[in-house]
Amino acid sequence: MRKTVISMKDIIKKYYIGKPNELQILHGISLDIQEGEFVSIVGQSGSGKSTLMNIIGALDRPTDGSYFLNGADISTLDDAELSRIRNKEIGFVFQTFNLIPRTNAIKNVEMPMMYAGIPKKQRLERTMELLEIVGMSERANHQPNELSGGQKQRVAIARAMANKPSLLLADEPTGALDSKTGRMIMDLFHKLHQEEHTTIVLITHSQELAQETQRMITISDGSIIADTGVKSHADS
Amino acid sequence: MQILENIRLAFSSILANKMRALLTMLGIIIGISAVITITTIGSSIQKTLTNTFNSMGSMNFFEIYSTFDWEKAEPDEDGNYNWEWQEDDRLSREMLDELIQTYPEYFSMNLTDSYGSSTLLNWQDQSMSVNINGVLNFEHMQGLEPELLSGRGISYQDNANRKQTIVVSDLFVSQYFAPDADPLGQAVTLDLQTGQAEDFVIVGVYEMPEAYAKQAYQPGMKELEKVTPVYVPLDTMMYLLRQEDNYRYWADIYYNPEYDVAMQEQLLKDFFNEQYEKAEKPYMTIDVMNMQEQMGMINAVVNVVTIAISVIAAISLIVGGVGVMNIMLVSITERTKEIGIRKALGAQNRSIRMQFVTEAILICLIGGIIGIISGILNGMIIGYVAKAVITNMYPEEASMFAITVQPSVIAMLISVVFSILTGVFFGYYPANKAAKMNPIDALRYD
């Protein structure tokens, strides 16, 4: 029996609550993602997929509804506990890489482990292992401004994997890359999924990329309008 | 563990904006530098005074000067004070001697005079020389407190009876006599300035004080080139040289510290006023300078100036601190995205806060250290310039002043602590602002 990583029920997100310009972005999203799944969430801009990503990534709390991440009720946690969840359970990969400037690849990859309080020696071992996996060992001592876009994204993926998160959350990871390097990054995700059995949630506006994944969830106007996963899950 | 990482981060952030960091530090640098400069000067003055007075031996003396008493004098019909300095307006030996005889339990003194040098030939007919000093006794020898190794010092009786006695140094004995010779009772012939040669009988040998030897003799000097002071009775010298002038402008009168100092000072004034009355010079009096009081006053002035400058420096530190706060606010705004990334990676608020407080502390600390170094340099430059000026202007007296430049260690420690506190105080608000940023907004910031 596979573990449920994400369990969302009737998630609602509203902004400017109680004000005349109150805005509801998510209209009751319910979804379950199992361990080891490679899921894509697709939607046009303005569909609410970024808001959903923020909630999945424990960067934000839902206005209503319940969200369990690995059994922890995210909607009731305070800021410090959310930080801990982001640190241990979630690995972020961003469209714009978001490496810390003036800080070399090693230090960037080490950062989540540093915040987790892992001793320096262990940190360094794990960092070198991760850089090996993403094929960046050669450039371990380079700073972000000395790396190409694809290289930066590979370092970012290594960083996201640092604390062996339950979930790798990638927000348009190929959006800032040319198609060739974008392809390499997608291949890396497939490799992590197959070899490391990482649970991956890929957020994208591209149908083409989404179709590569096992399961495709389409959202529009803050609601799920299609989910191929139910079928594929049933198949397996 | 994270502290080292924070320090590394703070360094790289400061190095990324060197000019900005330096300008930010300026207020701190100026503030700390001012405090260290003034405390270096202050502690140098105090140290110099202490050293000087220590080298002078006891500080329990009044320096008295004969002076015109404007209160007692009567102006002529045009309202002018017609007073011309008469030689015998000064302090006479008779007055001084009578003071000591009248109040032996309170006062003591020594009068000294230098009689130049005399060349003599030692037991091997080698040439050597001595400095001749006339003294009344063997106490209160300013600048030199020689200890007797054998025999006795110069006494009042030697003076009163015009005895031709002499006290020499142990160095002199080794220069002048064959090894193992007994110097006591031996005669030494000195050439006086007038050309006359006089025999003096050695009555005592003193130990050459190390402090004097260090100051007077260059390293590598030949043994016979070292000129040592020898002491003979002052009155004998005056008699031999037919010196008529028995008056002095000033004298050091030692008081008895076991009795009230103010009382003794009054006693001294009354005594000399009476003496001047008797000498039919009622318009004359004495000025009394209490050396200990003088030193206390100088110290008090130095302390007041130090406090005043420190207050000004504190204002400079506050201004500097506001500058640090300002630049930290700019810095966190610039690095909003970085803060967002760190939060997304799981940084706790307190980690972010610590990171920026560390950076603020480091800016202040570097500023403080630069300030301390520049303050010490300023203090030293001023100290050595003062030393050079004093040595140039008063080459004779300069040897008496043991000018010592000494930075105040306590002021340095306090400065370091203050720099850190400034960093904490003015860094906390911006750091807290960074810590409380919403990660989503921070991540989206461009």
Side-chain angles (χ1 to χ4, degrees), chain A residues 54 59-60 79-81 83-84 86-87 90 92 94 96 98-103 107-108 111-112 114-115 117-120 123 159, chain B residues 1-2 5-6 8-9 12-13 16-17 335 337-349 351-352 355 438-440 443-444:
Chain A
N54 288 340
L59 287 164
D60 205 355
D79 283 353
E81 287 164 327
S83 288
R84 205 188 57 76
R86 290 196 294 270
N87 185 238
I90 295 161
F92 286 96
F94 302 96
T96 50
N98 285 353
L99 296 181
I100 305 281
R102 301 188 307 275
T103 304
K107 294 278 177 197
N108 261 289
M111 202 160 286
M114 191 189 77
Y115 287 128
I118 291 166
K120 192 166 178 69
R123 244 156 52 193
R159 183 178 68 182
Chain B
M1 173 207 67
Q2 263 194 41
E5 188 61 17
N6 280 338
R8 189 194 67 82
L9 277 170
S12 81
S13 159
N17 290 297
R335 287 152 72 186
K337 182 125 191 170
E338 178 189 325
I339 294 162
I341 299 166
R342 287 177 181 278
K343 291 200 139 193
L345 297 180
Q348 297 286 349
N349 289 359
S351 308
I352 304 284
Q355 182 190 336
N438 176 349
I440 300 167
L443 269 174
R444 213 179 284 144

Side-chain angles (χ1 to χ4, degrees), chain B residues 117-264:
Chain B
S117 63
S118 167
T119 307
L120 14 81
L121 294 174
N122 76 353
W123 63 292
Q124 289 174 313
D125 278 343
Q126 289 163 314
S127 174
M128 56 177 281
S129 49
V130 292
N131 276 329
I132 309 167
N133 293 284
V135 294
L136 276 190
N137 53 52
F138 223 61
E139 292 159 15
H140 312 315
M141 314 257 278
Q142 283 184 14
L144 201 63
E145 293 296 327
E147 279 196 36
L148 283 169
L149 291 173
S150 61
R152 61 175 179 86
I154 299 296
S155 68
Y156 269 108
Q157 280 69 35
D158 291 336
N159 278 281
N161 300 328
R162 312 280 188 264
K163 284 250 180 83
Q164 288 180 232
T165 51
I166 186 167
V167 176
V168 298
S169 70
D170 51 353
L171 180 58
F172 173 90
V173 171
S174 68
Q175 290 170 326
Y176 189 73
F177 293 107
D180 299 329
D182 181 13
L184 291 182
Q186 306 259 21
V188 177
T189 310
L190 297 181
D191 283 319
L192 305 186
Q193 287 155 320
T194 48
Q196 66 198 106
E198 295 286 347
D199 280 351
F200 290 83
V201 175
I202 296 175
V203 293
V205 178
Y206 71 89
E207 185 178 16
M208 176 62 77
E210 235 169 80
Y212 180 91
K214 216 159 120 190
Q215 209 170 19
Y217 308 133
Q218 262 77 90
M221 223 178 196
K222 286 201 192 89
E223 212 44 31
L224 283 177
E225 283 175 3
K226 293 177 178 173
V227 180
T228 74
V230 295
Y231 298 95
V232 296
L234 180 68
D235 291 336
T236 307
M237 284 306 284
M238 293 184 72
Y239 169 76
L240 290 173
L241 296 174
R242 288 171 197 83
Q243 283 180 319
E244 306 292 331
D245 187 10
N246 223 353
Y247 294 91
R248 345 192 120 234
Y249 291 102
W250 62 273
D252 289 341
I253 306 294
Y254 288 77
Y255 56 81
N256 188 340
E258 285 167 29
Y259 295 94
D260 183 41
V261 178
M263 179 273 287
Q264 293 183 72

Side-chain angles (χ1 to χ4, degrees), chain A residues 112-131:
Chain A
M113 291 186 270
M114 191 189 77
Y115 287 128
I118 291 166
K120 192 166 178 69
K121 195 165 162 259
Q122 253 171 279
R123 244 156 52 193
L124 198 63
E125 274 170 24
R126 173 81 178 140
T127 300
M128 296 321 290
E129 184 190 327
L130 287 163
L131 288 175

